[in-house]
Structure formats: structure tokens, C-alpha cells
Amino acid sequence: MLIDNFNRIINYIRVSVTDRCNLRCKYCVDGAFPFIPHSEILSYEEIIRFVRISAQLGVSKVRLTGGEPLARKGISYLLKELNNIEGIDDISLTTNAVFLGEKILELKDAGLKRVNISLDTLKKERFAFITGVNAFDDVLMSIEKSIYAGMNPIKINTVIIKGFNDDEILDFARLAEKWGQHIRFIEFMPFGSFDLWDAATIISSQQIEETLKTRYTLEPSKSNDRGPARMFDIKGSKGKIGFISPVSTHICSECNRIRLTSGGKLRPCLFSDVEYDVKKLLRSSASDEEIKAFIRETVKVKPERKGEMGQIRKCQRSLRNIGG
Ligand code: SAM
């Protein structure tokens, strides 16, 4: 079992399979947008080996992310192989859903049961403005196809940013009500080197909750499938609302994860730029035991908690690089 210095059990790995993305979301992509060369991106075989070794240490949950994971060819192959690893019992995917509709059946065949979709607006023109791509209809179609394919649950993640989309909070709740799915509001986090993030652009979970309560009755959800979110049932509907509040509160005591970046760095904490190069080991003649020892050491340096709201340091890299 992997246990850090603060007695947290680490059983979850987020794997970024690429730093490439088909969207250019204004708050995520840095101006220059340089890519890691293909040869520096972990191969599927390297990822599979890493996850197999991690599973032997007690990791049971994997999330594939990016960049945009569906922008990398052969993702169904990876999913299938990871599903076959003994000890891995939960694999999920985080996607912007532009390509999801066309791939959902193949992904389902490979073992995908649930999906997280990032969507920050319900307005077609605004979607094109935020992402730089006119693909809103593709995303909606993907969501419908995913519901039809039986993905359960579908969690729609929305980053609310002042002046960007904070006028759509109630519209998102209406969607959760209509579709009977989960909408999770995520606080805008301090990533990337551009200037958009500052305290004035953050809308806290509490502010969002207050807006929702003007129209809806939210009851604390009894479901245990909540991850880092505080979940609520919308009274009179199957829909659920979640709040993920990494900026205004500490969810660190419940943190059970580490991240593997597409370039092969192991990142013990999202909010710290400290990373360890596991690719070097995977590409040397290191044994599984040596890689296990490396993972154990990395987990040991996981910090107890991030800084307070006013003191959070901006991370050097955007979430596209780290794997959001
Ligand atoms: N392309 C995939 C997707 O769209 O879900 C996975 C990677 S993307 C970087 C993951 C998530 O990170 C998206 O939901 C995006 O909105 C979120 N994200 C990016 N920058 C963020 C920030 N500064 N604060 C909070 N969330 C952010």
C-alpha cells in the first residue's frame, strides 16, 4: 500500500496521455503553446508498465486525461490494456467531448463506464470564443450519445470565471435537472503564466452555491461517488450539483492521488511544481522493484497542504501540461 507522510492512502493515479489539445481555451492555454516532442511523450507501453507497477503498490483507480486524451490515437487500446491490469478496478476519462460522440462505442467496448466532460458555457458563440473552435454542437451530440451508450454517471465539469461565464450558473443547474446528470463547478485555479488568473476573477464555490439557492433547493447527497466534490441533490430531480473548491478550501486531507504527466514526470501535488522524472527509469534498464521504490519516495514528499487562498503561488505550468 502507498501511504504518504500524513497517513493518506494513495490509490489513484491521473495519467496525462498527451499535452496536445484540439481546443485553445483562453484560461488554460498559454500564448506560445509549445508541444513536447513526440519522442518525449510516454508510449502506451510505458504507461501500461507504470500503471501495472503502481497497481502492485495498491493503486486501484486511474483517470486518463491530457491535453485532450481523445486527440491521441489508439486511446481505446490503452484503456483496454489498463482494464486488464490486476488490481485496477476503476478507469475513467476526462475529455472536452468534441471527439467523444464518434468514439464512445469503441471506448465502451474497451471498458469505459463513466466519463467526465469539461464544458464551460452553454452558448454556442461563447464556446467558440472561449475555446477558439466552433464545436459546441459536437459536444452536445457527444453528451447525448454518451447518455445513450449508458455512461453512468456523466459528470460535467465547469470552471466559472468572473466576466467569462458567471451569468450561466443557473443555466448549468437547469441542464443537470433536465439530463439527470452531475454538474460540478470547479474554482478557477492558479495555473499558467498568463495574466487571467487573479483573486478578482475567482468565483468561490460559496458564491455559486448562493446563486443556485435563489432558484433551487439543494440537499446534501448521500451518494458516496463524490471524489473531491461536495455533492448535492437537486430537490425534485435526478440531477446533482457538485462543488470542487481547491482554492477557497482545503481538500488536501482527503487527497488520494498522484499525477503522471505526458512527459513522464511524477507530480505528487497539483499545487506544487515539484516533479520527479520517472521516464528516465522507464527508459533505462530499471527493474520493477526500482520503479516501485521511486514511486514510494515520490509519495513521501507529497506536501500536507497547499497555501491559503491569498498565498497560493501560481504554478509554472498550465493544466494542459500537467494533466487536468
Ligand atoms: N482536455 C480534457 C478536458 O477538457 O477535460 C482534459 C484536460 S483539461 C486541462 C482538464 C480540465 O482542466 C478542464 O476541465 C479545464 O476546464 C480545467 N482547467 C484548465 N485550467 C484550469 C484552471 N486554471 N482552473 C481550473 N480548471 C482548469
Side-chain angles (χ1 to χ4, degrees):
M1 201 187 270
L2 278 173
I3 303 184
D4 75 3
N5 280 345
F6 305 96
N7 281 327
R8 292 172 295 202
I9 296 172
I10 308 302
N11 59 5
Y12 177 18
I13 293 190
R14 291 181 72 110
V15 178
S16 174
V17 298
T18 179
D19 63 333
R20 274 122 175 116
C21 188
N22 53 316
L23 301 185
R24 299 285 181 271
C25 297
K26 287 199 181 328
Y27 63 90
C28 181
V29 166
D30 212 340
F33 202 42
F35 293 127
I36 304 171
H38 278 298
S39 58
E40 294 305 319
I41 300 269
L42 289 184
S43 69
Y44 283 158
E45 300 315 323
E46 287 164 341
I47 293 174
I48 292 162
R49 180 175 179 214
F50 179 84
V51 172
R52 182 175 48 72
I53 294 170
S54 303
Q56 290 164 7
L57 289 169
V59 167
S60 58
K61 194 174 165 186
V62 178
R63 172 173 297 281
L64 300 181
T65 181
E68 172 49 40
L70 300 185
R72 182 162 173 182
K73 282 196 190 120
I75 195 79
S76 301
Y77 162 77
L78 177 66
L79 201 71
K80 203 175 210 156
E81 292 299 312
L82 296 180
N83 251 318
N84 285 335
I85 293 176
E86 200 181 322
I88 299 297
D89 55 29
D90 181 30
I91 302 188
S92 52
L93 176 80
T94 293
T95 173
N96 60 41
V98 174
F99 305 133
L100 184 63
E102 66 195 59
K103 297 196 168 155
I104 189 67
L105 294 179
E106 162 190 331
L107 291 165
K108 186 181 176 185
D109 279 351
L112 188 70
K113 297 190 178 68
R114 62 194 189 86
V115 68
N116 286 10
I117 293 174
S118 304
L119 179 63
D120 299 319
T121 179
L122 300 171
K123 297 179 197 286
K124 189 172 170 157
E125 292 73 29
R126 188 177 279 177
F127 182 95
F129 170 74
I130 294 176
T131 66
V133 180
N134 189 6
F136 181 70
D137 293 340
D138 297 322
V139 173
L140 280 198
M141 197 188 295
S142 291
I143 295 174
E144 280 172 18
K145 284 189 174 171
S146 302
I147 294 173
Y148 194 66
M151 291 296 119
N152 186 19
I154 295 171
K155 298 180 184 175
I156 296 174
N157 292 329
T158 303
V159 181
I160 297 288
I161 303 174
K162 196 170 208 152
F164 242 63
N165 57 357
D166 52 328
D167 54 339
E168 295 191 58
I169 294 169
L170 290 171
D171 295 342
F172 272 104
R174 214 168 290 126
L175 198 72
E177 202 179 18
K178 179 175 152 202
W179 281 343
Q181 300 294 343
H182 301 196
I183 301 282
R184 307 191 310 169
F185 294 102
I186 306 179
E187 287 174 343
F188 188 27
M189 296 185 284
F191 290 95
S193 55
F194 40 83
D195 294 329
L196 191 61
W197 190 85
D198 72 45
T201 53
I202 299 170
I203 307 266
S204 69
S205 296
Q206 193 187 338
Q207 288 168 287
I208 297 172
E209 194 173 337
E210 279 161 18
T211 303
L212 290 169
K213 282 181 172 166
T214 60
R215 183 83 53 86
Y216 295 96
T217 303
L218 300 180
E219 298 173 331
S221 179
K222 291 192 180 73
S223 131
N224 52 11
D225 173 33
R226 61 183 188 84
R230 233 170 5 107
M231 292 302 302
F232 292 85
D233 297 328
I234 302 176
K235 194 172 177 189
S237 148
K238 281 192 179 150
K240 290 183 195 292
I241 297 287
F243 300 101
I244 303 182
S245 322
V247 179
S248 66
T249 64
H250 284 289
I251 45 182
C252 308
S253 64
E254 292 173 37
C255 188
N256 61 348
R257 63 195 64 182
I258 52 174
R259 290 177 151 79
L260 178 63
T261 71
S262 53
K265 304 278 184 351
L266 208 49
R267 188 168 172 119
C269 170
L270 179 61
F271 285 98
S272 159
D273 280 315
V274 175
E275 295 177 339
Y276 298 91
D277 191 355
V278 71
K279 180 174 67 190
K280 227 198 247 165
L281 285 185
L282 288 165
R283 293 191 176 176
S284 71
S285 53
S287 67
D288 287 4
E289 286 313 310
E290 283 169 301
I291 293 173
K292 267 185 205 164
F294 184 89
I295 298 172
R296 279 202 193 93
E297 286 306 308
T298 302
V299 160
K300 287 286 177 205
V301 299
K302 205 171 153 57
E304 185 176 14
R305 55 199 266 171
K306 64 168 179 57
E308 299 301 329
M309 178 145 174
Q311 310 158 343
I312 298 179
R313 215 174 42 81
K314 219 158 176 191
C315 291
Q316 292 300 305
R317 304 216 270 150
S318 78
L319 272 192
R320 161 187 85 81
N321 289 114
I322 301 163

